């Protein structure tokens, strides 16, 4: 739930959003309501500074989804170039506007895989992109942070594995829903990769939106990088075992509510407490 305090402040704001995805952005649009100012993709494609500046003129915040397309090959250089090209008009526009708070929403894939011996998202966590697309994420982040000032603050939000259902209904999004679908047939397919030995952290989409709104209300002086998640990782094989042992029909119907019944420590319902961990930028 969005607090009434945040809602009151948002009434006085205009928030521009660019390069929206199909999963998180609809929830953000719903939360922003009348404060939302959508940036049409065509404006970015033609790189019209005049049109973009006119759209941003009444805005106090600009949120850019710094993420690769779902169908892109994250290990192909084209994904890196696509991220850079999508961000350039936004970065240039942010530099032209005084009093505009730029928020980049990205992924924790810019950090190395956490291990059981290391805390999640500690202040000492270094940047180490896990794939080519993550290198593109870092390029965009660095470009934005380099030009951050007290008049043009920049916030970087890096989310863990975001889970939930599409706001329009239908199938769920993320590994947990994939496990739930598999479990109906009595087995769970864990992605075959060396990553299985590393812990994963899961975040509900509504908690991510809440964190974006919270950052929006408190611009940094002048830059910050924030990791969003529970800070408690779990092995994917252990997660799969939970689904195998659960009542599949119930967990598939209401996956996140059921988690609290299963006493899964690494996750709270989407309305639960949000934990932010700061990372030095």
């Amino acid at each position: 739930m969005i607090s009434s305090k945040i809602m009151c402040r948002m009434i006085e704001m205009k928030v521009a959003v660019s390069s929206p995805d199909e999963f998180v952005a609809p929830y953000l649009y719903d939360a922003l309501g009348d404060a939302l100012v959508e940036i049409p993709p065509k404006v970015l494609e033609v790189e019209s500074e005049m049109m973009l500046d006119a759209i941003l003129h009444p805005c106090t915040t600009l949120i850019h989804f710094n993420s690769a397309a779902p169908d892109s090959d994250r290990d192909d250089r084209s994904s890196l170039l696509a991220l850079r090209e999508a961000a350039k008009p936004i970065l240039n526009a942010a530099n032209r506007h005084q009093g505009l708070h730029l928020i980049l929403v990205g992924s924790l894939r810019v950090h190395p895989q956490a291990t059981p011996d290391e805390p999640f998202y500690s202040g000492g966590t270094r940047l180490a992109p896990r794939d080519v697309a993550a290198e593109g994420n870092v390029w965009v982040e660095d470009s934005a942070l380099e030009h951050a000032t007290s008049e043009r603050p920049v916030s970087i939000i890096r989310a863990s594995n975001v889970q939930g259902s599409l706001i329009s209904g239908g199938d769920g999004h993320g590994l947990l829903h994939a496990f739930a679908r598999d479990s109906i047939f009595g087995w769970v397919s864990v992605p075959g990769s060396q990553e299985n030995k590393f812990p994963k952290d899961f975040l509900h989409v509504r908690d991510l939106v809440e964190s974006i709104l919270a950052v929006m209300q408190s611009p940094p002086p002048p830059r910050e990088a924030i990791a969003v998640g529970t800070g408690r990782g779990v092995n994917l094989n252990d997660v799969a075992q939970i689904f195998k042992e659960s009542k599949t029909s119930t967990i598939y119907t209401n996956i996140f509510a059921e988690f609290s019944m299963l006493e899964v420590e690494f996750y709270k319902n989407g309305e639960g407490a949000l934990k932010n961990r700061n990372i030095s930028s």
Side-chain angles (χ1 to χ4, degrees), residues 10 32 44 50 64 73 102 121 144 151 174 179 183 190-191 193 219-220 252:
M10 282 169 50
L32 290 174
L44 302 180
M50 185 178 298
H64 177 72
D73 182 352
L102 175 61
Y121 329 137
E151 293 79 21
F179 286 177
S183 67
V190 179
S193 161
Y252 184 70

Side-chain angles (χ1 to χ4, degrees), residues 48-50 52-53 89 91-98 152:
S48 172
E49 290 187 3
M50 185 178 298
L52 185 53
D53 287 345
L91 297 175
N92 292 334
N95 292 338
R96 294 193 300 269
H97 287 259
Q98 296 287 341
R152 296 191 299 272

Side-chain angles (χ1 to χ4, degrees), residues 8-85:
C8 289
R9 289 180 181 176
M10 282 169 50
I11 293 174
E12 304 171 358
M13 304 176 70
K14 288 295 181 183
V15 182
V17 179
S18 67
S19 299
D21 67 347
E22 297 180 352
F23 177 40
V24 179
Y27 282 94
L28 179 62
Y29 285 2
D30 183 63
L32 290 174
D34 293 338
L36 171 66
V37 176
E38 294 187 59
I39 299 178
K42 288 185 178 180
V43 172
L44 302 180
E45 291 171 5
V46 300
E47 297 188 20
S48 172
E49 290 187 3
M50 185 178 298
M51 292 176 64
L52 185 53
D53 287 345
I55 292 172
L56 294 177
H57 178 70
C59 299
T60 55
T61 305
L62 169 56
I63 300 173
H64 177 72
F65 281 84
N66 183 30
S67 55
D71 56 351
S72 64
D73 182 352
R74 294 191 59 90
D75 288 313
D76 191 280
R77 181 170 172 76
S78 62
S79 62
L80 179 153
L81 296 176
L83 282 166
R84 289 172 56 171
E85 291 306 310

Side-chain angles (χ1 to χ4, degrees), residues 32-218:
L32 290 174
D34 293 338
L36 171 66
V37 176
E38 294 187 59
I39 299 178
K42 288 185 178 180
V43 172
L44 302 180
E45 291 171 5
V46 300
E47 297 188 20
S48 172
E49 290 187 3
M50 185 178 298
M51 292 176 64
L52 185 53
D53 287 345
I55 292 172
L56 294 177
H57 178 70
C59 299
T60 55
T61 305
L62 169 56
I63 300 173
H64 177 72
F65 281 84
N66 183 30
S67 55
D71 56 351
S72 64
D73 182 352
R74 294 191 59 90
D75 288 313
D76 191 280
R77 181 170 172 76
S78 62
S79 62
L80 179 153
L81 296 176
L83 282 166
R84 289 172 56 171
E85 291 306 310
K88 282 180 180 178
I90 295 300
L91 297 175
N92 292 334
N95 292 338
R96 294 193 300 269
H97 287 259
Q98 296 287 341
L100 187 65
H101 179 198
L102 175 61
I103 300 176
L104 299 179
V105 181
S107 166
L108 278 168
R109 293 186 70 86
V110 302
H111 294 289
Q113 285 279 12
T115 69
D117 299 324
E118 297 176 350
F120 269 75
Y121 329 137
S122 72
T125 304
R126 68 190 186 281
L127 291 178
R130 302 181 200 173
D131 49 38
V132 177
E135 292 177 12
N137 291 135
V138 172
W139 183 92
V140 175
E141 293 179 2
D142 286 346
S143 299
L145 292 171
E146 181 181 357
H147 295 94
T149 67
S150 56
E151 293 79 21
R152 296 191 299 272
V154 174
S155 297
I156 310 296
I157 296 178
R158 300 170 182 143
S160 57
N161 297 275
V162 185
Q163 312 289 309
S165 299
L166 297 175
I167 199 169
S168 58
D171 287 343
H173 181 281
L175 278 172
L176 302 183
H177 284 274
F179 286 177
R181 286 192 295 270
D182 286 350
S183 67
I184 291 177
F185 303 102
W187 57 277
V188 176
S189 175
V190 179
S193 161
Q194 282 293 93
E195 291 188 358
N196 291 346
K197 65 182 180 182
F198 297 106
K200 296 288 185 183
D201 190 10
F202 297 102
L203 173 71
H204 193 275
V205 60
R206 292 190 183 277
D207 283 342
L208 175 56
V209 169
E210 288 279 358
S211 71
I212 295 172
L213 298 179
V215 169
M216 188 178 73
Q217 298 298 320
S218 303

